[in-house]
Amino acid sequence: MSGELIVRAPGALSLVQDSGRAGFQRFGVSESGAIDRDALLVGNLLVGNDIDPAAVEVTFGGAQFQFSQDSLVAITGGDLQPSLDGTPLEMWESFWAPAGSTLSFAAPVAGLRAYLAVNGGIATEPVLESRSTHLASGLGGLAGSQLAAGDRLPVGDGSESRRAGAKLPHELRPDYGDEITVRVVPGPQQDQFTDAGMRSFFESPYKVTESSDRQGLRLDGPAIESVSGSYDIVSDAVVFGSVQVPGDGKPIVLLADRQTTGGYAKIGVVATVDLPLLAQAGPDATVRFAEVSVVEAQRLMRERRRSLVETDLYDELVTTETSVSLAGTDTQVNLSYRPTALSTPGGGLVSANIGTARSTVRVEDIE
Amino acid sequence: MSVQLGSEISDEINDRVYALADLLGESSLPWLRELVPTYRSLLVYYDAFEVDYDEIKSELTELMDRHESSISAASDRPRFVYELPTAYGGEHGPDLESVADNAGLSVEEVIRIHSGIDYRVYMIGFSPGFPYLGGMDPRIATPRLATPRTRVAAGSVGIAESQTGVYPSASPGGWQLIGRTPVKLFDHTKHPPSVLQPGHYVRFVPIDTERFLEIENQAASGDLEIQTSEPAS
């Protein structure tokens, strides 16, 4: 029962994303993938997929999609006020969308990015083993681009007999807020920062700025002092959640679309379990950092994943295949993936080029 | 987990990074997910849902100790030089004259210096297939453009400070562009997708615009074979 998902309006930014393009970073290929990996995972589980299929990541809303056939669907992640033919929908819950019905996203009331998961998954052609869209390099998705009105996304063959109504228990649903605290494992270059610098980082609030996107969350707050006055290192690899500090001393948290390598000292890595909070943090959100050990960060990540995957409350939809080997890996800390905040020039809905062309080119973006 | 093998740019450290990456890649480690080797460190992605940080750390340490001699002997591996035919100046290298002015040299001298060295590929990063090359003659070092271009053509050869490199695909860029190669350095339909591999060398071979078009056509039809040779020294 394969069909199509038809893009009627892409809104600010809609992208095909899966759990990322792993395995090619050594060739300079960015990982990309859904920024809020937990929301993608849960969306897939709710519609009876395994954890890997691609979904549509909708940012900020203003988007509309039409189903060519009866489809089992779930909306997870940020609450962008989804509705089906005008009737408001519950988040984190699977439902049947009849053939010809239209799913609309209005504007965010919590979080920034919603995931539209459909039984069978979005079945665009994989590129380098992934369907994730990486706009900067034009890989994945539909011809490497963001979705446009009129695009028709193939949907994979699903199972015939799935039932709607699977829900993620309320106590497991994330609380995306404008004031968040995320845990950070220090390193690998924490020695390049003074004690005062480390204190600034761990004790000060930082604001998410408008020049944030899927590559990274750029923060404003007290400058973090380095030992030598220099913030440069010999370039090495960066991960989802690496916090690098460039010359102005203001931290940048690298996200899914980050480049593979970076030349700024990294003060720490955000614990995977907290990446969804950053993924859903919009401009002007306040972020605080709290220190955590690698061991504790990994424990938290496993506990969270276990609760999302092993809950029996997905009803019969969750079958044994959910014990899939998880796509998350870990680096110093953890590695998984999350969304990013986006810039909202003018404060309203973002123009169509979020995350692609930027009016100003930042030093760390460019070679 | 990031394995740091040094803090500076050197052939010896870089050789060790790639030797370790090869060793791990060949060791059938069930927890290994991805390796990202760079100038002087190796990022090891592992399945943290299955194994603990401490376990990985001790396993890696033990593996490195056991294979220390082969990691150290990495510099004995065979070397290849990839020849990249390059049209210097004109539309292909709009900044060639300013590089020459900055260096106080003639355009011809800049081309001779730039094409007279085999450059080591230290790592691939930044964008798909982008090689970080080392060893450029400091006489032609030039600062980045004050205002980066919003679009640099694929194959553009540039200079930024004391580095030289090639943009494998069109992107924004701040390097001084001195030429362009018609060779396609990144193709996502191929395995591996990047022509250049770390530890190998690149030699820029000057060609004229006519030859550029010929090679470009060959590359487009898939008939182009990149010439390799032994390093000069």
Side-chain angles (χ1 to χ4, degrees):
Chain A
M1 55 180 246
S2 57
E4 286 179 327
L5 179 67
I6 303 155
V7 182
R8 291 300 178 203
L13 178 67
S14 290
L15 298 166
V16 175
Q17 297 293 353
D18 59 19
S19 56
R21 186 167 284 107
F24 299 93
Q25 293 184 82
R26 65 184 304 167
F27 303 117
V29 178
S30 292
E31 182 175 58
S32 67
I35 292 205
D36 188 338
R37 297 282 160 98
D38 284 357
L40 174 74
L41 166 75
V42 172
N44 275 321
L45 293 177
L46 288 172
V47 297
N49 293 335
D50 68 21
I51 64 172
D52 207 33
V56 178
E57 180 182 278
V58 179
T59 300
F60 276 116
Q64 288 197 325
F65 302 88
Q66 191 174 25
F67 300 93
S68 73
Q69 56 161 15
D70 294 352
S71 304
L72 183 62
V73 180
I75 311 298
T76 59
D79 184 354
L80 310 183
Q81 299 174 292
S83 61
L84 189 68
D85 287 339
T87 305
L89 290 164
E90 288 296 318
M91 301 278 303
W92 307 98
E93 184 173 330
S94 64
F95 60 92
W96 279 101
S101 61
T102 298
L103 176 63
S104 303
F105 295 90
V109 291
L112 272 188
R113 297 179 166 93
Y115 292 84
L116 190 180
V118 55
N119 177 239
I122 302 296
T124 46
E125 201 58 39
V127 172
L128 296 172
E129 301 174 15
S130 167
R131 298 185 167 89
S132 286
T133 313
H134 187 248
L135 292 174
S137 56
L139 296 177
L142 269 187
S145 299
Q146 61 193 73
L147 298 178
D151 284 347
R152 304 175 81 93
L153 299 171
V155 174
D157 289 331
S159 29
E160 311 275 336
S161 58
R162 296 295 187 187
R163 287 175 27 195
K167 295 178 187 180
L168 182 71
H170 280 270
E171 64 271 22
L172 292 179
R173 298 182 190 184
D175 182 13
Y176 306 127
D178 289 336
E179 297 209 5
I180 57 176
T181 298
V182 299
R183 286 158 286 196
V184 170
V185 179
Q189 283 98 34
Q190 77 269 36
D191 293 350
Q192 281 192 225
F193 302 95
T194 62
D195 289 347
M198 294 302 283
R199 273 200 303 279
S200 302
F201 178 65
F202 281 118
E203 293 173 10
S204 313
Y206 287 87
K207 283 257 186 237
V208 176
T209 69
E210 307 247 324
S211 56
S212 299
D213 57 20
R214 284 182 44 91
Q215 275 193 17
L217 216 52
R218 288 167 175 80
L219 303 175
D220 195 14
I224 299 164
E225 187 181 61
S226 76
V227 172
S228 65
S230 163
Y231 294 83
D232 294 350
I233 58 167
V234 174
S235 293
D236 73 352
V238 293
V239 302
F240 199 149
S242 285
V243 184
Q244 63 178 20
V245 184
D248 65 3
K250 310 290 175 75
I252 298 172
V253 186
L254 298 176
L255 301 171
D257 277 5
R258 69 192 180 280
Q259 291 159 5
T260 56
T261 54
Y264 296 122
K266 294 174 283 290
I267 195 169
V269 187
V270 176
T272 299
V273 70
D274 289 334
L275 287 173
L277 298 177
L278 291 176
Q280 300 284 359
D284 287 335
T286 301
V287 182
R288 289 173 185 274
F289 298 100
E291 187 168 348
V292 70
S293 67
V294 178
V295 171
E296 177 65 2
Q298 293 190 340
R299 190 190 65 75
L300 291 166
M301 174 183 70
R302 290 174 191 147
E303 187 180 272
R304 172 72 176 155
R305 185 61 66 101
R306 204 174 301 119
S307 68
L308 292 180
V309 170
E310 292 176 2
T311 170
D312 54 7
L313 297 169
Y314 295 113
D315 301 326
E316 60 275 22
L317 291 177
V318 178
T319 55
T320 50
E321 72 239 348
T322 52
S323 57
V324 201
S325 89
L326 299 157
T329 32
D330 236 52
T331 11
Q332 294 254 326
V333 177
N334 333 331
L335 225 236
S336 70
Y337 312 33
R338 258 13 84 116
T340 292
L342 282 203
S343 39
T344 45
L349 280 193
V350 177
S351 58
N353 62 358
I354 290 175
T356 50
R358 290 189 203 85
S359 51
T360 52
V361 179
R362 291 182 302 271
V363 173
E364 70 275 11
D365 289 342
I366 225 179
E367 277 296 354
Chain B
M1 178 174 308
S2 177
V3 183
Q4 317 260 334
L5 296 169
S7 57
E8 62 210 55
I9 299 175
S10 85
D11 288 8
E12 193 202 340
I13 293 170
N14 194 235
D15 280 336
R16 290 174 61 83
V17 170
Y18 285 92
L20 180 61
D22 288 349
L23 174 68
L24 297 183
E26 292 158 5
S27 297
S28 313
L29 303 165
W31 42 260
L32 182 62
R33 290 294 172 267
E34 182 164 7
L35 295 166
V36 191
T38 56
Y39 280 109
R40 43 86 195 179
S41 70
L42 176 65
L43 184 67
V44 180
Y45 281 84
Y46 61 94
D47 186 347
F49 291 103
E50 298 297 325
V51 287
D52 292 325
Y53 174 83
D54 290 338
E55 286 173 52
I56 298 298
K57 194 173 169 184
S58 55
E59 192 169 344
L60 280 180
T61 308
E62 192 269 334
L63 201 72
M64 287 169 70
D65 287 346
R66 190 147 40 92
H67 294 277
E68 174 54 32
S69 56
S70 64
I71 294 172
S72 299
S75 50
D76 299 337
R77 288 188 304 178
R79 308 286 177 193
F80 293 101
V81 180
Y82 286 78
E83 296 185 3
L84 297 184
T86 300
Y88 284 93
E91 57 170 321
H92 297 308
D95 303 322
L96 179 61
E97 287 187 19
S98 57
V99 169
D101 286 348
N102 184 68
L105 297 167
S106 70
V107 160
E108 291 70 26
E109 282 170 307
V110 172
I111 296 173
R112 188 179 52 75
I113 291 169
H114 188 262
S115 61
I117 293 176
D118 294 341
Y119 300 97
R120 181 187 171 96
V121 180
Y122 281 98
M123 67 174 194
I124 307 290
F126 164 65
S127 72
F130 189 96
Y132 282 81
L133 304 176
M136 194 180 77
D137 190 315
R139 282 179 294 167
I140 55 174
T142 317
R144 286 177 169 81
L145 296 175
T147 307
R149 290 184 170 86
T150 53
R151 188 176 185 282
V152 169
S156 293
V157 175
I159 289 176
E161 308 297 342
S162 58
Q163 298 183 85
T164 186
V166 189
Y167 291 89
S169 51
S171 72
W175 291 31
Q176 304 269 358
L177 305 182
I178 60 170
R180 193 175 164 215
T181 179
V183 173
K184 202 173 174 187
L185 292 178
F186 184 86
D187 182 345
H188 68 74
T189 65
K190 299 216 166 107
H191 291 282
S194 170
V195 169
L196 299 177
Q197 303 293 325
H200 291 164
Y201 290 78
V202 167
R203 184 183 302 156
F204 297 99
V205 179
I207 54 170
D208 59 24
T209 306
E210 199 176 324
R211 181 76 186 126
F212 181 96
L213 291 173
E214 282 173 25
I215 298 175
E216 194 174 39
N217 287 334
Q218 280 178 311
S221 59
D223 295 337
L224 182 65
E225 261 189 44
I226 298 170
Q227 303 297 312
T228 59
S229 57
E230 296 292 313
S233 54

